[in-house]
Amino acid sequence: MIVVTSVLASTVEAGARPAAPVRTYQVRTYGCQMNVHDSERLSGLLEAAGYVRAVEGTDADIVVFNTCAVRENADNKLYGNLSHLAPRKNAEPDMQIAVGGCLAQKDRDAVLKKAPWVDVVFGTHNIGSLPVLLERARHQRVAQVEIAEALQEFPSALPAARESAYAAWVSISVGCNNTCTFCIVPSLRGKEVDRRPGDVLAEVQTLVDQGVLEVTLLGQNVNAYGVSFGERGAFADLLRACGNIDGLERVRFTSPHPAEFTDDVIEAMAETPNVCPTLHMPLQSGSDRVLKAMRRSYRAERYLGIIDRVRAAIPHAAITTDIIVGFPGETEQDFQDTLDVVARSRFANAFTFQYSKRPGTPAAVLADQLPKEVVSERYQRLIDLQEQISLQENQAQVGTQVELLVAAGEGRKDAATARMSGRARDGRLVHFAAGGAEIRPGDIVTTTVTRAAPHFLVADGVVSAHRRTRAGDAHAAGVRPVTGVGLGMPGVGAPPAAPVTGGCAL
């Protein structure tokens, strides 16, 4: 996935003459929700230092790549995009390119060897250094590489320029203590470090005070939350505490780990009204033999038991998952075991991946790496099964009434179909007919599902209720929430415009 952060920059007041051109930036994001949220912080840091976002469709003075290293094609995407920028960098030496995130943490100096026109390389633990590194590279005309080995400051202390007026990410932890053999994340983001509950809740309250209706709590393993400060049950307590925040209408979280998913979390989900009836529970494989080789410390029956208990407590919960196809040594029977678990679990959706060998992970050196054609054939069979299940599960929603948080940019064909889009409380995407009403992203509407497809629902009937919200007001005004604090860094953009004085212009 690639997300480009680029919106209209501030304008100069009529009649004012800026002392120097404002330097603009663009952040290009690859990968998971963690990276998307980190990019909000990168934007916040750059804006605090005086940069402004580039107007959509224009060339930015600074292009920042926030990278992912989970899959092999992430490398190819990054270096392909860097190559595309090389001619512009050659023609405009003052434009700057920065590479950060997980792939930068992994490749380090190799980034400059492959793309010597890059100005700054920074890692996952020191995103706060970006403005200083850019200034240093600009003045010294020498590329800057700074890769910290451990977290220097919890990222949520950094300023963040939020992308949405109505929904926000809130990190509760960074890093991971698991040792899955296919995953490179622990070596790039380090051991788990948790924020104190009071800090998390204070950030949530700050967002709600600015009109945000929905928060998603983020962590590599959210149900291990509390390990850093020795409190068992801390995640369930955090969910319940979110339920006490007035104005917070929806709470989601990602991702839990089946090995540590406990009944107190299920109870908190069921008993806290603003916790949404949705759960993303990574499976990875339905084969006990493969799960053991992956070092996933649960087995298929335990996983299915969690699904059963969640559905008993929250009957209408929409459950999604992650699955890897073609792990080294996976047999046809192992794959059939996965298909069996998928059929029993009845996932609303599944994020499926063909195994990607990542240097530095134990799985990369395992024997019995599978031929690509075998992996591709199994992958397609899994896709076909899950598409069938997703369609059946969505068809069961036809005729039901849904409450939607109206979203921006979720429906790529909305303009052609004269529909808008929103997310139901269970996370399903719904394209709905607005019927000419003045509905804004961030508003809440209630409508009835009329049709289903594997990946979305359609509601072409009359909107039965529409609630205008502060979030909708903010979105319409182009106002986005801001969190974090400034770091006292010197500005690098244009200084305030000087007053116009008399005299002749030469």
Side-chain angles (χ1 to χ4, degrees):
M1 177 182 70
I2 178 168
V3 179
V4 177
T5 303
S6 182
V7 298
L8 188 64
S10 300
T11 57
V12 179
E13 291 183 10
R17 185 186 309 165
V22 173
R23 288 179 63 77
T24 61
Y25 77 89
Q26 179 190 76
V27 179
R28 302 186 186 183
T29 308
Y30 303 86
C32 67
Q33 298 96 329
M34 297 280 188
N35 272 19
V36 173
H37 188 26
D38 281 348
S39 290
E40 292 182 325
R41 297 191 183 103
L42 292 171
S43 296
L45 284 161
L46 291 170
E47 291 178 13
Y51 300 94
V52 297
R53 299 188 192 191
V55 175
E56 182 115 20
T58 64
D59 291 332
D61 298 310
I62 295 116
V63 179
V64 182
F65 292 90
N66 188 13
T67 64
C68 173
V70 170
R71 308 210 24 95
E72 186 176 10
N73 64 359
D75 300 52
N76 300 330
K77 283 184 179 180
L78 171 67
Y79 292 113
N81 279 287
L82 290 176
S83 294
H84 291 152
L85 285 177
R88 185 176 163 228
K89 174 68 174 177
N90 188 54
E92 303 174 34
D94 286 339
M95 78 89 60
Q96 291 184 290
I97 303 169
V99 178
C102 288
L103 193 140
Q105 187 81 22
K106 176 178 75 74
D107 283 2
R108 304 180 180 231
D109 293 330
V111 174
L112 290 182
K113 292 178 181 177
K114 294 181 180 180
W117 54 92
V118 168
D119 297 275
V120 171
V121 180
F122 62 102
T124 59
H125 299 308
N126 60 313
I127 64 176
S129 302
L130 176 60
V132 171
L133 294 173
L134 285 168
E135 272 298 277
R136 194 183 297 160
R138 191 156 68 99
H139 286 292
Q140 297 180 6
R141 299 289 178 179
V142 176
Q144 303 294 311
V145 179
E146 183 176 295
I147 306 291
E149 297 299 330
L151 194 67
Q152 296 180 336
E153 178 178 23
F154 202 94
S156 292
L158 302 174
R162 303 288 183 149
E163 289 302 307
S164 170
Y166 49 86
W169 311 103
V170 176
S171 289
I172 66 172
S173 64
V174 294
C176 182
N177 293 336
N178 293 312
T179 57
C180 301
T181 56
F182 58 82
C183 186
I184 198 169
V185 169
S187 65
L188 302 179
R189 291 199 176 259
K191 292 293 186 181
E192 181 174 330
V193 178
D194 299 326
R195 296 175 72 191
R196 300 295 301 188
D199 293 337
V200 174
L201 294 171
E203 182 176 352
V204 174
Q205 184 67 65
T206 297
L207 290 163
V208 172
D209 289 345
Q210 297 176 76
V212 167
L213 300 176
E214 175 182 298
V215 299
T216 300
L217 305 176
L218 284 180
Q220 298 294 153
N221 179 6
V222 292
N223 47 291
Y225 176 71
V227 65
S228 292
F229 48 86
E231 290 186 17
R232 293 177 62 88
F235 185 59
D237 292 342
L238 185 64
L239 289 178
R240 293 182 188 276
C242 285
N244 295 324
I245 297 178
D246 290 338
L248 179 59
E249 299 192 18
R250 298 184 176 194
V251 179
R252 306 185 191 278
F253 60 86
T254 194
S255 288
H257 192 292
E260 296 167 294
F261 196 77
T262 50
D263 288 347
D264 62 334
V265 173
I266 299 174
E267 292 167 3
M269 292 175 63
E271 295 168 5
T272 309
N274 63 358
V275 175
C276 292
T278 181
L279 176 66
H280 184 72
M281 180 65 73
L283 170 64
Q284 308 303 3
S285 174
S287 163
D288 288 351
R289 195 185 68 81
V290 172
L291 287 170
K292 182 177 181 181
M294 289 178 167
R295 291 187 198 153
R296 301 284 288 180
S297 47
Y298 56 90
R299 299 296 176 258
E301 285 304 317
R302 172 174 170 76
Y303 183 94
L304 289 164
I306 293 171
I307 301 301
D308 289 343
R309 293 197 299 279
V310 169
R311 290 208 166 110
I314 313 167
H316 301 297
I319 300 174
T320 59
T321 196
D322 296 330
I323 301 173
I324 296 172
V325 177
F327 187 81
E330 179 189 77
T331 65
E332 177 60 30
Q333 183 56 56
D334 292 326
F335 179 65
Q336 187 59 53
D337 290 344
T338 296
L339 294 180
D340 291 345
V341 172
V342 169
R344 291 174 62 182
S345 298
R346 307 292 300 176
F347 297 117
N349 194 15
F351 300 89
T352 52
F353 307 92
Q354 298 183 42
Y355 170 73
S356 180
K357 181 165 67 172
R358 306 306 289 136
T361 63
V365 296
L366 289 176
D368 301 325
Q369 303 280 332
L370 271 61
K372 181 170 179 56
E373 58 270 20
V374 172
V375 178
S376 297
E377 188 271 339
R378 290 177 183 172
Y379 178 77
Q380 189 58 53
R381 284 156 59 196
L382 174 60
I383 291 290
D384 291 343
L385 173 61
Q386 183 56 51
E387 291 262 313
Q388 177 186 1
I389 293 170
S390 294
L391 177 59
Q392 292 169 352
E393 292 297 304
N394 279 354
Q395 285 173 333
Q397 306 299 312
V398 174
T400 62
Q401 198 172 70
V402 288
E403 179 195 87
L404 307 180
L405 174 54
V406 183
E410 292 268 29
R412 288 176 294 177
K413 298 180 180 179
D414 282 353
T417 61
R419 296 189 182 106
M420 298 184 73
S421 297
R423 291 281 173 178
R425 291 187 61 81
D426 65 6
R428 285 184 168 93
L429 177 62
V430 182
H431 304 302
F432 68 96
E438 188 185 347
I439 298 172
R440 301 88 48 89
D443 285 352
I444 300 289
V445 301
T446 303
T447 187
T448 300
V449 177
T450 57
R451 184 166 63 85
H455 301 293
F456 60 86
L457 302 172
V458 174
D460 275 339
V462 176
V463 170
S464 57
H466 169 213
R467 174 160 53 91
R468 295 172 69 88
T469 67
R470 289 174 56 211
D473 295 341
H475 179 89
V479 176
R480 298 292 183 265
V482 176
T483 55
V485 296
L487 303 180
M489 295 175 293
V492 295
V500 178
T501 58
C504 297
L506 299 178

